[in-house]
Amino acid sequence: MSASTSVPRERVARRYRQPSYARRLWRDIRINRHVYIMLLPVVAYYLIFHYGPIYGVQIAFKAFSPTRGFLGSPWVGFDYFKDFFNSYYFGRLLKNTLLLSLYELLFAFPAAVVLALLLNEVRRSSFKRLVQTVTYLPHFISIVIISGMLIDFLSRDGLVNQLLTWTGREPAAFLSDPAWFRTVYIASGIWQNVGWGSIIYLAAISAIDPTLYEAAKVDGAGRFRQVLNVTIPGILPTVIIMLILQIGSFMAVGTDKILLLYNSSTYETADVIGTYVYRRGILDSDFSYSAAVGLFNSVINFALLILANRLSRRYTETKLW
Amino acid sequence: MKKWISSLVIPAMAAAALTGCSGKTPGETAKGQEGQSSPSAAPKEVAYPAKLSYWVAMNANVAATMKSFNEMGVYQELQKRTGTVVDFQHPPVGQHNDQFNLLLASGQLPDVIEHTWAAVSKGPDNAIKEKKILRLNELIDAHAPNLSKILKDDPELKKQIMTDEGNIYVFPYFSKEEFQRVYNGPAIRKDWLDKLKLPVPQTIDEWEKTLTAIRDGDPNGNGKKDEVPLLLDLKVMDFGHAFIGAYGITSGFYQDQGKVKFGPIQPEFKEFLTVMNRWYKEGLIDKDFATMDQKLKDAKMTGNLVGAMAMNVGAGLGSYTSLMKPKYPDFNLVGVPYPALKQGGMSVGQMNAPFIGTGAAISANAKNPEQIVKWLDYAYGPEGHLLFNYGIEGQSYTMVNGKPTLTKEITTSPTNLPVSQAIAKYSHGSFSGPYVVDKGLTEQFSPEPFQKQAIETWMKADHAKLLPSLTLTSQESSEMSSSMNDIKTYYSEMVNKFIMGMEPIDSFDKYVGTIQKMGIDKVIQTQQKALERLNKRS
């Protein structure tokens, strides 16, 4: 956007030199058709599962009845949105959703970067591989199993409490005390995903030009200085892209995991928009209402994504688009 | 042939003769020739359907040994007799409510949907109006002679299965006798009481003393103070009312001399919470009660840790005993009276209404409803009655003195299955379905004296306060479901907090105020109106 004044002239010039976009695309498809064929399933996936269902969003504005169908149900405007904003739980749901996302951003997100930086400093490759394997294995375990393990570990006479009593501390009601829920959620999230998340940063680190390190060494930088002045700036674009992506799904906290971990005594801190939508929509078959709530959630996500990208474009050179 | 049997069989054969005429089932024709000609021929006789699809929640008793209802003796035999091939569709155990809602939303309904239709959001009348299921009154009159006869003989039953708008919406699951409808109540480890030289507690105060003794007396004898004196499960309390019933209320809606009330906002509920909070603090109830699920409950019970718990007679008393007896020969879990507030007092107990809105509905897309009605009606005839209750003669039951009697294979299963699971291989007897439960079955169904004794003990409770199954208009139920959702969430959250002491009992009034703000008064009024309509129904 910054170079906007010069764009038109450039375009005009290009138009004379190059064939049209469609023609270029067509030529590219002919040449690289295998690549495009590989792309097809992905495009189909998005069309079918992400763009197709947008049609159904209209039920958020309709008194939807399955027998009348999408088109037959009468319009009610923003009634469901108003209901939700006025509902008893609106404030709490919003707060819980935002806080869980914020904590994830504050703790879980940097954890992967830090792990990658630390792993990079490990010289024994066998140890490094071991750590990597151990840390990213939990990523491959189903969330249902993970939650089951958590419940076992954290119950009143579970592993964690036994360790606590063994070291002379009071056992805690991790799963029924609302004060613990956020900690349990975030900490277990880190445990499950930190290793996997660090892979992309390790890849980014390995792409840093080694001559930069040599130059830094010549300038007298120690290990810590090298990390600070070479490694971190080197992976910063990757970190920022990941951050923007993360913000894009800011409000989409792991509903499935919360559903598996929460219970009525932890609703106070655990109930988020997603779980509320599940209870209202699926359990009470209040489809229109929950569609409205879900849509509200997505709109916030969308706005945050745009905002994050704009901020990043303004203050750093990195951006998604 | 005994007179009793012949009186059952002859009309059935007559019915078979009629089917035979339609020529669909060759086996039936031969049978029909032996029977007498039928005096009451329906105007236009239809055949059994060639095939139909049937959606029903998987029952845990069936799931224990089988994957589908198709493997059950009752449906294999039914297929032989009617020639109808049934395609059973089962949602996963524990998810049937979610799956049911999704099924309705998808619009692609199977022919028959068995569910608790009265509990469906917006109610059965709305489901009929929205053309999801059929109004069955006329179809039953024309094509279901067996059910018609039952309804004619028992006007009270007819009153219960009809909605306010006069619709019959399912082939009902119906159990007449009180004995069949009481199956949940408090149970205690009698062997532990004997060890501690304690009598069976009768009142809440006595329970407190008993539970304290269990906590301190190390009745499981492992030298550790690891006993859970009372395993409290609020979900069980919600329908069995153990402990809360002592205060003359329930944790849901109940009636007090014809007036509907909501238990959680009554002053008595505060007293109940005070006691539970004390019990929790003292370690008399399980610390993990808020996160309790069935697996954890079973683990604690079979881990020889639990002193008392409210449970079902079959999948509870029966199954725990058969699991524990081999390892702990002294194990003696007995059903005990619902604790009362004062000596000689009465507690609200558990008793289902004869009809709770459960049964098989026919979806509006079914192509041949008349045939399906005829097929469903089979269970209400004499032969079907035997088949659905007792299963297959010679395998799961034999006729002893004219009475169907469960065989050894069922009552003392060689593979060590509890009766409820053993019988599920052959018949519907241990769980709901579109049929009328036989009185004799329930009596045999709890063959162990301790189970019979438990039911008899639990029957001695106050059932007058329980609400019958009410039907709401679609308008009423959609209004109600919206406030009840918030109220239920708030209630379940606060109850846990009150009991665990995270919220002081003093804020009870504030809690009541919040529930009132959420619109409970209007909901109570709605329920009141529905109750009055039911009482006026004729």
Side-chain angles (χ1 to χ4, degrees):
Chain A
M1 211 169 260
S2 52
S4 58
T5 46
S6 64
V7 166
R9 197 186 293 159
E10 225 172 75
R11 272 198 192 145
V12 171
R14 267 192 195 154
R15 195 167 288 161
Y16 289 110
R17 262 187 278 123
Q18 288 199 345
S20 76
Y21 180 76
R23 289 190 69 153
R24 273 184 293 141
L25 182 69
W26 182 237
R27 207 172 60 194
D28 195 39
I29 290 176
R30 266 198 328 219
I31 296 166
N32 300 315
R33 59 180 171 281
H34 297 108
V35 181
Y36 281 92
I37 287 170
M38 283 193 279
L39 180 72
L40 261 180
V42 182
V43 173
Y45 167 82
Y46 276 97
L47 284 180
I48 295 168
F49 293 107
H50 289 254
Y51 287 90
I54 290 178
Y55 167 73
V57 164
Q58 57 176 299
I59 72 168
F61 307 95
K62 284 182 161 187
F64 177 67
S65 134
T67 34
R68 292 208 193 107
F70 284 140
L71 295 176
S73 305
W75 292 97
V76 294
F78 284 90
D79 279 8
Y80 295 114
F81 291 89
K82 281 185 222 148
D83 277 358
F84 178 53
F85 299 146
N86 294 326
S87 97
Y88 183 78
Y89 292 112
F90 174 68
R92 183 171 88 178
L93 292 169
L94 198 62
K95 181 180 150 204
N96 286 341
T97 312
L98 287 173
L99 273 184
L100 278 182
S101 304
L102 190 70
Y103 288 157
E104 200 153 69
L105 215 57
L106 284 181
F107 299 108
F109 182 77
V113 180
V114 171
L115 180 70
L117 291 176
L118 290 175
L119 278 177
N120 190 47
E121 297 305 310
V122 174
R123 284 288 160 260
R124 285 184 73 99
S125 69
S126 59
F127 177 69
K128 184 173 164 182
R129 264 191 313 237
L130 179 76
V131 172
Q132 262 194 293
T133 312
V134 169
T135 50
Y136 76 58
L137 264 186
H139 178 82
F140 297 102
I141 306 175
S142 140
I143 194 75
V144 180
I145 313 268
I146 289 277
S147 305
M149 289 165 73
L150 282 174
I151 290 169
D152 273 354
F153 291 162
L154 297 175
S155 70
R156 179 65 57 161
D157 38 15
L159 183 76
V160 177
N161 269 326
Q162 274 177 7
L163 284 177
L164 281 179
T165 33
W166 194 54
T167 54
R169 263 164 284 203
E170 279 291 297
F174 291 110
L175 295 170
S176 47
D177 185 348
W180 273 106
F181 185 82
R182 291 189 183 119
T183 316
V184 168
Y185 178 87
I186 300 294
S188 62
I190 293 177
W191 168 56
Q192 197 187 0
N193 289 322
V194 69
W196 183 254
S198 69
I199 291 176
I200 191 161
Y201 303 118
L202 282 170
I205 290 171
S206 70
I208 296 173
D209 189 350
T211 55
L212 290 175
Y213 287 103
E214 276 158 37
K217 259 187 246 171
V218 170
D219 288 344
R223 294 280 292 270
F224 188 66
R225 268 277 152 205
Q226 286 175 35
V227 171
L228 220 57
N229 290 8
V230 181
T231 317
I232 290 183
I235 61 169
L236 202 60
T238 315
V239 172
I240 287 172
I241 291 286
M242 294 306 286
L243 189 70
I244 297 173
L245 285 175
Q246 172 94 9
I247 288 173
S249 56
F250 191 72
M251 303 280 282
V253 288
T255 305
D256 33 5
K257 191 168 140 195
I258 298 178
L259 279 175
L260 291 163
L261 284 180
Y262 81 162
N263 57 65
S264 50
S265 55
T266 48
Y267 278 171
E268 188 183 326
T269 51
D271 202 13
V272 296
I273 294 178
T275 52
Y276 183 73
V277 167
Y278 168 77
R279 288 207 308 278
R280 279 303 281 262
I282 306 290
L283 296 184
D284 291 0
S285 63
D286 215 341
F287 299 112
S288 284
Y289 184 82
S290 52
V293 177
L295 186 60
F296 165 75
N297 202 12
S298 307
V299 167
I300 295 190
N301 260 337
F302 186 63
L304 281 173
L305 179 66
I306 289 180
L307 186 76
N309 191 55
R310 186 160 293 175
L311 285 176
S312 159
R313 201 159 49 180
R314 175 166 302 170
Y315 295 109
T316 69
E317 291 298 297
T318 317
K319 59 186 194 281
L320 262 183
W321 69 86
Chain B
M1 202 188 275
K2 286 263 184 276
K3 212 176 160 194
W4 181 82
I5 307 178
S6 57
S7 70
L8 288 184
V9 170
I10 288 169
M13 281 184 166
L18 291 168
T19 359
C21 296
S22 70
K24 272 263 169 185
T25 44
E28 298 283 329
T29 325
K31 243 200 215 166
Q33 252 111 47
E34 297 162 25
Q36 274 91 39
S37 66
S38 162
S40 61
K44 190 181 140 245
E45 197 52 47
V46 293
Y48 287 117
K51 61 175 197 271
L52 59 86
S53 51
Y54 194 122
W55 188 94
V56 58
M58 192 58 170
N59 181 275
N61 288 327
V62 181
T65 56
M66 290 165 278
K67 287 202 173 60
S68 153
F69 280 20
N70 281 121
E71 295 171 45
M72 290 169 67
V74 43
Y75 287 111
Q76 287 175 349
E77 181 66 22
L78 191 63
Q79 182 176 339
K80 264 185 231 155
R81 294 191 196 169
T82 61
T84 304
V85 179
V86 184
D87 165 26
F88 278 107
Q89 302 167 2
H90 304 294
V93 174
Q95 289 179 23
H96 62 276
N97 279 327
D98 314 12
Q99 295 294 324
F100 174 81
N101 286 332
L102 293 175
L103 180 79
L104 282 197
S106 79
Q108 289 171 336
L109 302 180
D111 296 327
V112 179
I113 306 166
E114 189 184 318
H115 194 67
T116 305
W117 280 90
V120 167
S121 89
K122 299 188 186 173
D125 278 333
N126 188 60
I128 292 173
K129 217 173 286 162
E130 292 208 322
K131 300 214 165 56
K132 284 175 198 155
I133 58 174
L134 294 173
R135 168 183 151 102
L136 298 175
N137 306 40
E138 290 73 23
L139 284 165
I140 288 174
D141 282 346
H143 304 289
N146 296 319
L147 183 58
S148 295
K149 184 172 181 307
I150 293 176
L151 294 181
K152 219 172 86 194
D153 293 348
D154 189 346
E156 185 58 26
L157 165 55
K158 192 171 180 185
K159 175 174 149 186
Q160 290 211 25
I161 68 165
M162 264 206 215
T163 66
D164 288 319
E165 292 171 29
N167 296 321
I168 294 176
Y169 52 99
V170 287
F171 274 76
Y173 176 63
F174 198 78
S175 41
K176 260 177 161 170
E177 306 297 326
E178 280 194 14
F179 192 79
Q180 300 162 338
R181 296 186 268 129
V182 172
Y183 54 83
N184 184 284
I188 205 163
R189 283 287 295 270
K190 186 76 175 38
D191 52 326
W192 287 10
L193 291 186
D194 294 343
K195 220 172 182 177
L196 301 165
K197 301 198 173 54
L198 290 166
V200 170
Q202 305 285 340
T203 63
I204 291 282
D205 289 340
E206 284 175 27
W207 266 84
E208 189 162 333
K209 281 186 203 113
T210 310
L211 295 177
T212 315
I214 292 177
R215 180 193 63 187
D216 300 332
D218 188 29
N220 69 3
N222 63 355
K224 276 189 269 180
K225 215 174 161 177
D226 56 355
E227 287 85 357
V228 177
L230 171 64
L231 208 154
L232 182 74
D233 186 335
L234 296 177
K235 274 178 256 123
V236 174
M237 186 188 79
D238 283 346
F239 78 88
H241 319 305
F243 301 101
I244 191 170
Y247 297 85
I249 59 172
T250 74
S251 52
F253 295 98
Y254 66 96
Q255 58 174 331
D256 196 354
Q257 288 160 347
K259 285 203 71 169
V260 175
K261 289 184 175 169
F262 186 57
I265 55 171
Q266 300 301 318
E268 292 91 340
F269 194 68
K270 190 176 174 182
E271 293 172 44
F272 166 74
L273 287 178
T274 314
V275 173
M276 287 301 126
N277 173 245
R278 188 166 71 231
W279 287 11
Y280 181 83
K281 250 190 293 184
E282 305 258 317
L284 301 183
I285 50 185
D286 190 55
K287 294 275 183 206
D288 280 333
F289 81 96
T291 54
M292 193 62 62
D293 63 0
Q294 192 61 40
K295 252 188 291 168
L296 205 57
K297 262 162 78 170
D298 294 351
K300 294 204 178 194
M301 196 73 210
T302 53
N304 202 21
L305 295 173
V306 178
M309 175 167 122
M311 60 177 75
N312 283 357
V313 67
L317 215 48
S319 52
Y320 288 140
T321 304
S322 62
L323 277 172
M324 293 293 279
K325 262 281 187 288
K327 246 200 292 177
Y328 303 93
D330 292 339
F331 183 88
N332 185 14
L333 190 64
V334 295
V336 290
Y338 275 87
L341 211 49
K342 284 193 234 67
Q343 198 63 253
M346 270 284 204
S347 161
V348 179
Q350 176 268 332
M351 184 165 82
N352 274 6
F355 172 68
I356 54 165
T358 304
I362 300 179
S363 82
N365 334 355
K367 287 203 189 69
N368 43 356
E370 304 86 5
Q371 296 183 351
I372 296 170
V373 164
K374 186 181 165 75
W375 182 80
L376 283 168
D377 188 53
Y378 186 83
Y380 297 86
E383 284 187 334
H385 184 75
L386 278 178
L387 179 63
F388 271 69
N389 277 286
Y390 294 94
I392 296 161
E393 180 156 19
Q395 294 183 36
S396 55
Y397 76 96
T398 48
M399 283 294 182
V400 178
N401 299 332
K403 268 193 164 176
T405 309
L406 294 176
T407 55
K408 274 251 159 58
E409 196 199 326
I410 304 295
T411 50
T412 49
S413 158
T415 43
N416 245 337
L417 291 176
V419 187
S420 54
Q421 288 173 17
I423 197 173
K425 285 190 174 177
Y426 294 99
S427 86
H428 245 288
S430 61
F431 61 99
S432 63
Y435 73 105
V436 179
V437 189
D438 192 73
K439 185 185 176 193
L441 176 72
T442 325
E443 279 165 4
Q444 295 174 53
F445 187 65
S446 319
E448 302 283 344
F450 71 88
Q451 284 172 301
K452 259 187 205 156
Q453 174 266 330
I455 294 180
E456 274 156 20
T457 312
W458 294 337
M459 273 169 72
K460 288 182 208 128
D462 179 10
H463 298 135
K465 284 189 173 163
L466 303 177
L467 281 175
S469 103
L470 301 175
T471 39
L472 302 176
T473 67
S474 44
Q475 173 70 21
E476 282 172 346
S477 40
S478 68
E479 279 170 15
M480 195 178 116
S481 74
S482 149
S483 359
M484 275 320 279
N485 187 287
D486 282 352
I487 292 172
K488 270 185 286 181
T489 304
Y490 185 69
Y491 159 75
S492 57
E493 190 180 326
M494 291 303 284
V495 157
N496 284 338
K497 283 190 181 172
F498 279 129
I499 296 180
M500 290 195 276
M502 283 184 233
E503 188 80 40
I505 304 279
D506 293 337
S507 43
F508 184 78
D509 292 341
K510 212 175 87 199
Y511 145 89
V512 172
T514 309
I515 291 188
Q516 270 158 349
K517 239 185 282 162
M518 289 171 167
I520 191 68
D521 293 336
K522 192 137 185 262
V523 177
I524 293 174
Q525 272 172 27
T526 307
Q527 297 260 328
Q528 183 74 42
K529 270 188 262 169
L531 178 65
E532 278 157 20
R533 282 198 305 260
L534 178 83
N535 290 337
K536 260 188 267 161
R537 238 185 251 172
S538 52

